[in-house]
Amino acid sequence: MPASRRRRRSAAERLRQDRSARARAAAADRPALPTLSVLERAAVKPSTEKHYHTLLSDFCLFCMTQNIAWVSHEGLGAALTAFQNTLYLDGRPGTDGSKLLAAVAHHYPSIGKQVRALLPRATRRAQAWVRRAPGHQRLPLPRAAALAAAGMLLAIGQLRMGVWVCLTFACYLRPIECFRLLGRHVVASNPQAGPQFQRWGLLLADATGGQPGKTGNWDESVLLDLDDWLIPVVAALMQATPDNAPLWPFSPSELGKQFRMACDLLGLGALEPHLYSLRRGGASDDLLRKRRSVEAVQRRGRWATSQSLKRYGKETRVLTQLNQVPSSTIEFGRVVEEHFRLIVECGLFGSGVLDLLPLRARQALSSLGTPLR
């Protein structure tokens, strides 16, 4: 081997050893967090636990570098205040403040749900942080836009994706809740038992073998009560799906890609559509049209507090979003809702309906060779 090559390899090896030594030193200096049991860690989702661990590790490292020591709740509150100020001045969003307090409550059981009482200054600063630097919030998708996107998915042959969009909007479902639905989670009505049992429903967070909901509750439910046009399609979907089989034969990434494409073709890009926008849009639409009371919307959305609902129910914001939707797309969405069952069962749009679509959408359908007319 040439001497120059040996020198280069030797230098590279020394560099790797030096990096390894620095990494081991940094790991040794990194503060140890309180040890949690398996069940304590399982109190939150793995992704949440990982995020909490990262936030709290950064906080403890900050305390070490700033020579901040604390042995009481008052001392912890003062340390958190200093760390919050640093993050705020670094331009971090206000959501990091509330997540930091949640991480502290998770890793220090003696604090738990008493964060506000034991750490009053840190709590107050977290609230001010959110007001000064609010995090990015997904905007609600108007009803006409959601149904138009569902119709576009139906038009390109993605039948179950179109139904997914409508069901998520009408029931304020979190995307993960809808993806977890199995055939047995669609519960049929029983008219023989009386008129009050004529509604279909969805069973969420099934206690017989599923996962708890976001708030930790089991066996949550949503009724298909005001959107009767969905029931025949959902019933057919249930009959075509075995009890223990997923209701949706596609992944979240596949649906997200098709959904974004459909919204783009419909001229909805300015609305920044996201699958989670359907949950916000459904709640906001029912509040705007006064189809349900605030209490009914909160229960249907399974929000633990009215404060949580305030972040989702954005009636005026829906109007702002609707004003950015092309008039042809609004009309297309209206037609999709009126003839949803016929479109799904027959795979046909009535004469002239597809002419309502923007030019890009019509060209896309033509290039796909869809049988729709």
Side-chain angles (χ1 to χ4, degrees):
M1 179 185 299
S4 59
R5 186 174 179 184
R6 284 198 302 270
R7 286 195 297 270
R8 286 196 300 269
R9 290 188 61 178
S10 178
E13 182 62 27
R14 286 196 302 271
L15 181 60
R16 281 195 296 270
Q17 292 176 354
D18 186 41
R19 287 175 176 172
S20 178
R22 287 200 300 268
R24 286 195 298 270
D29 289 340
R30 203 163 185 83
L33 298 179
T35 302
L36 298 179
S37 68
V38 174
L39 288 178
E40 285 176 320
R41 290 199 303 271
V44 296
K45 295 186 297 185
S47 58
T48 303
E49 206 277 335
K50 182 178 180 180
H51 185 58
Y52 284 174
H53 188 278
T54 300
L55 274 175
L56 208 56
S57 294
D58 291 342
F59 166 62
C60 292
L61 190 59
F62 170 81
C63 292
M64 291 183 63
T65 56
Q66 300 297 318
N67 293 320
I68 300 176
W70 46 268
V71 293
S72 64
H73 292 145
E74 291 78 8
L76 173 60
L80 283 170
T81 296
F83 187 54
Q84 287 171 320
N85 287 338
T86 300
L87 295 183
Y88 169 68
L89 294 175
D90 283 345
R92 298 278 286 272
T95 51
D96 281 0
S98 55
K99 290 178 181 178
L100 175 61
L101 293 181
V104 169
H106 174 65
H107 278 274
Y108 295 93
S110 63
I111 296 176
K113 294 185 179 297
Q114 303 181 69
V115 171
R116 185 181 296 272
L118 297 177
L119 304 172
R121 292 187 63 199
T123 301
R124 186 178 182 184
R125 289 180 187 276
Q127 294 170 346
W129 189 357
V130 170
R131 289 195 295 269
R132 290 294 187 92
H136 176 73
Q137 291 190 357
R138 299 186 183 101
L139 299 176
L141 196 63
R143 185 182 189 88
L147 292 170
M152 191 66 193
L153 291 170
L154 295 174
I156 62 177
Q158 300 291 353
L159 187 149
R160 293 207 183 201
M161 287 187 179
V163 177
W164 190 101
V165 169
C166 293
L167 197 63
T168 301
F169 183 91
C171 298
Y172 320 162
L173 297 181
R174 300 178 179 91
I176 189 61
E177 290 176 334
C178 200
F179 277 115
R180 288 175 179 169
L181 289 176
L182 305 178
R184 69 172 185 271
H185 295 154
V186 180
V187 183
S189 62
N190 193 336
Q192 294 180 345
Q196 66 270 36
F197 299 102
Q198 296 185 15
R199 297 298 182 188
W200 285 64
L202 300 177
L203 179 62
L204 308 175
D206 185 4
T208 62
Q211 300 182 43
K214 183 178 180 180
T215 56
N217 295 324
W218 294 93
D219 288 341
E220 296 179 315
S221 61
V222 178
L223 293 178
L224 298 174
D225 48 3
L226 300 182
D227 295 290
D228 293 339
W229 52 276
L230 261 176
I231 293 178
V233 177
V234 172
L237 201 62
M238 181 196 72
Q239 294 172 358
T241 308
D243 285 351
N244 295 318
L247 210 57
W248 318 109
F250 44 81
S251 67
S253 59
E254 291 171 340
L255 173 61
K257 179 180 178 181
Q258 295 292 336
F259 180 73
R260 288 190 296 273
M261 182 197 70
C263 290
D264 184 54
L265 292 175
L266 291 167
L268 302 176
L271 275 60
E272 300 181 20
H274 187 278
L275 295 180
Y276 219 101
S277 304
L278 298 168
R279 172 171 165 82
R280 295 174 180 267
S284 300
D285 182 75
D286 279 352
L287 289 171
L288 178 63
R289 298 201 292 165
K290 300 187 182 302
R291 298 208 309 169
R292 305 181 198 275
S293 66
V294 174
E295 294 75 14
V297 169
Q298 179 180 336
R299 180 177 180 182
R300 186 174 183 82
R302 302 164 312 286
W303 288 291
T305 65
S306 58
Q307 190 65 32
S308 298
L309 174 59
K310 289 179 182 178
R311 294 197 298 269
Y312 284 79
K314 305 287 186 181
E315 303 97 298
T316 306
R317 179 60 71 180
V318 168
L319 292 175
T320 304
Q321 294 284 86
L322 188 60
N323 290 335
Q324 301 182 68
V325 179
S327 57
S328 58
T329 299
I330 294 176
E331 181 63 17
F332 179 64
R334 184 188 63 79
V335 173
V336 169
E337 181 173 3
E338 289 183 1
H339 305 287
F340 188 75
R341 180 178 180 180
L342 178 65
I343 293 170
V344 172
E345 291 183 350
C346 303
L348 297 173
F349 284 96
S351 176
V353 173
L354 293 182
D355 293 337
L356 296 172
L357 293 171
L359 178 61
R360 287 186 61 198
R362 295 200 303 272
Q363 291 174 340
L365 290 177
S366 299
S367 65
L368 290 172
T370 161
L372 303 172
R373 60 174 173 83

